[in-house]
Amino acid sequence: MAITGLGIDYGVSAFYTPKASRSMGKQVESFAETTGIHLHMNDQTTGDKAVTSIGFPDGSSASVFASENGSEYSVKYWDENGSEEEYEFNAEKISPSNANYLEMLAYTSHLDITGQTNNAFGDFIAVARGVNGDRTYNSGNVFAIFDFKRMTEEFMQAQYGYGNMTGYMSVKSLYDHMSTI
């Protein structure tokens, strides 16, 4: 996974670790040490590698695993106490206008894996934070239903208004795929 923008590509650990070690005044070995976020990049039971993984501020996290069937995804969610739940989603049947955060992780991962988009997952993470970047997700609302299609349109229009055409075009690609459902 990488953080991209303005033609710069930063590896996540390369970007966060130096900043975290400076702010804490000590050397750290991983991003998880500085934040309490634990990313599950492998399924402990099957050994499968996660397509993607994300951590939330309350210590909960989620990982997306692809199945043999191209549109089926398993999303494992660990609450803030480490309890694990598994959810199965058919990405082609998810409606971004009426979905929860975990469904959208599967949906956007599918768009990227199948080559329909280049950065749907990354764009979704940005969009889900809201135009002002003030929305957060955790065990209290990760299962709540939102209109992510509308949120994507608002975010896309904000990027256009800011003159960020690269951001606008990337989010527009995600929005265009949402409009085909």
Side-chain angles (χ1 to χ4, degrees):
M1 183 175 144
I3 299 172
T4 59
L6 303 174
I8 303 169
D9 190 357
Y10 297 97
V12 172
S13 61
F15 181 74
Y16 286 108
T17 302
K19 291 184 179 300
S21 58
R22 280 196 307 267
S23 68
M24 296 180 69
K26 68 174 190 152
Q27 186 63 29
V28 293
E29 298 299 318
S30 73
F31 182 56
E33 273 186 57
T34 65
T35 63
I37 293 174
H38 182 74
L39 300 179
H40 300 268
M41 296 306 294
N42 294 305
D43 185 318
Q44 297 296 325
T45 307
T46 65
D48 291 341
K49 293 189 185 311
V51 172
T52 191
S53 187
I54 187 166
F56 303 105
D58 68 349
S60 59
S61 63
S63 296
V64 178
F65 298 88
S67 70
E68 297 298 318
N69 178 351
S71 62
E72 298 290 329
Y73 292 84
S74 171
V75 177
K76 292 194 176 189
Y77 176 75
W78 292 265
D79 68 16
E80 65 276 8
N81 298 315
S83 297
E84 177 185 325
E85 294 288 331
E86 184 171 357
Y87 303 91
E88 301 293 328
F89 300 114
N90 181 329
E92 294 176 352
K93 294 184 179 182
I94 294 171
S95 171
S97 296
N98 188 33
N100 69 42
Y101 196 92
L102 300 182
E103 289 174 306
M104 289 302 294
L105 293 178
Y107 177 79
T108 56
S109 294
H110 177 71
L111 291 176
D112 287 341
I113 288 169
T114 58
Q116 297 176 61
T117 56
N118 291 325
N119 191 34
F121 180 82
D123 287 337
F124 167 69
I125 299 303
V127 163
R129 299 247 324 121
V131 171
N132 297 320
D134 56 356
R135 287 183 181 233
T136 60
Y137 297 86
N138 56 41
S139 57
N141 66 353
V142 77
F143 299 102
I145 301 297
F146 293 98
D147 185 347
F148 288 110
K149 182 178 177 185
R150 182 185 52 77
M151 289 171 66
T152 302
E153 182 177 26
E154 289 171 0
F155 191 87
M156 179 180 68
Q157 292 304 321
Q159 296 308 302
Y160 186 83
Y162 299 141
N164 178 3
M165 295 312 290
T166 302
Y168 169 80
M169 292 306 293
S170 186
V171 175
K172 184 177 184 324
S173 176
L174 171 59
Y175 180 76
D176 288 348
H177 281 84
M178 289 178 169
S179 296
T180 61
I181 293 181

